[in-house]
Amino acid sequence: MLCLGIETSCDETAVALVHDGRLLGQCLHSQEKLHALFGGVVPELASRGHLTALPVLLERLLERTGLTIRDVQVVAAARGPGLLGSLLVGMGMAKGLALSLGVPLVGVNHLHAHLLAAGLEGEIPFPALGLLVSGGHTQLYRITSPFQFDLLGRTLDDAAGEALDKSASMLNLPYPGGRHIDALAAGSEPNRSLFPRPYLDNRNLDFSFSGLKTAFSQHLAQRPDLRLPRLPDDAALARWSEDHPELGTVCASLNWSIAETLRTKVERALQDKTAYRAVIAAGGVAANTMLRSLLAETAQARGLALILPSPALCTDNAAMIAYSGWLLARNGWEHDQTVEALPRGKPIPWDYRPRSFPNPSTSP
Ligand code: KG4
Ligand code: ZN
């Protein structure tokens, strides 16, 4: 079964083709440079960007894979959560294609798709504990099958990626700054008492990262010399970090506080009575070096499989949407044309309907 996946939930426009669980190809256009000018994603510009990029990417994908649009047997698109205007562009295209091709339409939960993406690289053993860490979300899930996600905890305010990006912008690093903090931290030892590990003094599995951002800004108020004078290019950033070795320590310390907080809650979640077989970390922040190594320690100590999708599958992409769409369609689930796109903050219902397979006795 060949599934076309469309991703437009934030500032990445992407299309991908998955055939029987295998990725055939993906074309992706990032609007990162455009939004970096504004220090964050401008929703209106993002939607307009998706509208112009999508048809070009689709044509390129078909050319590269040597397929035609008529070969597509299922159309899947991210239905949320995300920026509403952006989601509507992808969903609108998916609805039009499904209708004109006469094939099933599947709206995909973007967060679940992040966690399932690893299935493209190897089999996921269930039940798995899923940690989703991105610019907009920080969540823990018990995942008992590709279709059964129980939310165990979530952030009460900022997401882990948001704390990294906002701290990075206080340093005058380009947006989104998470990967720059990660790169600057490389080779430096964290100072484990520099920043707090927030919201651990409780028994729950929720997170709160807004206080960490405040602690970071207070530290910079004492050390304004660490802040870059203006947005750097890569060469200027490398020179600045060579001249300011303490910057590496500060970035490593922030990285550690966030990663260790996430790890602590993962360990707490693993103590419930579910016989987990794996830990999955997904979303952009799962590309973080410190987080990957702390989770590796935890999984190894408990004899669990650690599933970390490759960095390209961690950040937003359409391969994960095509893969989730294929899993759902293969199990007979689809949406009708009234399926809604849902913005961040609204729960995403399980509102698939069982597919009505044509009755062989009435087929021509
Ligand atoms: O999943 P994603 O691409 O988009 C959504 O937010 O849905 O995640 C983007 C987030 C940003 O906050 C970005 O700074 C962060 O992932 N990120 C990283 C790294 N690479 C991307 N954070 C820490 N370390 C990285 N290597
Ligand atoms: Zn995402």
Side-chain angles (χ1 to χ4, degrees), residues 12 110 114 134-136 161-162 164-165 176-179 182 283-285 287-288 314-316:
E12 254 91 37
H110 174 93
H114 264 301
S134 69
E162 206 171 339
L164 280 163
D165 294 343
R179 76 186 154 87
D182 196 14
V285 183
N288 185 267
C314 280
T315 46
D316 283 349

Side-chain angles (χ1 to χ4, degrees), residues 34-309:
L34 168 70
H35 298 289
L37 299 171
F38 302 90
V41 178
V42 183
E44 179 110 349
L45 293 182
S47 324
R48 283 159 61 184
H50 293 311
L51 191 66
T52 50
L54 258 188
V56 183
L57 292 177
L58 180 58
E59 205 170 314
R60 197 176 299 158
L61 178 68
L62 292 171
E63 236 173 65
R64 274 196 202 159
T65 51
L67 294 164
T68 75
I69 197 69
R70 296 251 152 239
D71 295 318
V72 170
Q73 292 165 301
V74 181
V75 182
R79 71 174 300 197
L83 301 171
L84 188 57
S86 290
L87 291 166
L88 288 172
V89 176
M91 285 294 283
M93 184 168 201
K95 287 187 180 192
L97 283 173
L99 196 63
S100 60
L101 296 170
V103 300
L105 167 72
V106 184
V108 170
N109 181 322
H110 174 93
L111 305 179
H112 295 184
H114 264 301
L115 287 160
L116 292 175
L120 278 168
E121 297 177 326
E123 202 179 321
I124 301 177
F126 295 107
L129 179 72
L131 171 68
L132 176 70
V133 266
S134 69
H137 296 90
T138 303
Q139 299 182 331
L140 272 171
Y141 287 94
R142 182 192 299 113
I143 313 171
T144 33
S145 83
F147 315 115
Q148 180 73 47
F149 285 69
D150 300 316
L151 185 64
L152 304 174
R154 73 207 191 301
T155 181
L156 305 176
D157 41 54
D158 289 356
E162 206 171 339
L164 280 163
D165 294 343
K166 292 201 172 137
S167 302
S169 81
M170 291 179 216
L171 284 170
N172 244 338
L173 293 172
Y175 177 86
R179 76 186 154 87
H180 297 296
I181 300 254
D182 196 14
L184 286 167
S188 296
E189 266 303 301
N191 172 350
R192 292 175 171 75
S193 55
L194 196 56
F195 301 118
R197 282 166 297 150
Y199 204 61
L200 291 182
D201 195 12
N202 53 57
R203 297 166 72 86
N204 64 44
L205 296 173
D206 291 330
F207 303 92
S208 165
F209 287 108
S210 63
L212 189 53
K213 213 174 52 189
T214 312
F216 193 81
S217 98
Q218 282 167 348
H219 183 72
L220 279 195
Q222 287 164 10
R223 291 295 313 267
D225 55 302
L226 292 180
R227 196 176 278 138
L228 285 101
R230 70 189 74 81
L231 275 186
D233 56 26
D234 286 351
L237 185 53
R239 274 198 307 275
W240 184 265
S241 66
E242 262 173 38
D243 295 345
H244 298 78
E246 315 89 306
L247 187 58
T249 309
V250 168
C251 291
S253 309
L254 179 69
N255 248 351
W256 182 81
S257 288
I258 292 181
E260 181 60 20
T261 303
L262 294 166
R263 191 255 288 263
T264 305
K265 294 262 165 155
V266 162
E267 290 202 332
R268 196 174 290 177
L270 289 172
Q271 280 159 16
D272 84 4
K273 54 187 182 314
T274 309
Y276 288 108
R277 296 177 62 207
V279 175
I280 308 175
V285 183
N288 185 267
T289 319
M290 177 72 78
L291 180 62
R292 290 170 96 91
S293 89
L294 292 184
L295 290 178
E297 278 173 18
T298 292
Q300 198 184 10
R302 291 172 170 270
L304 298 174
L306 176 63
I307 299 183
L308 297 169

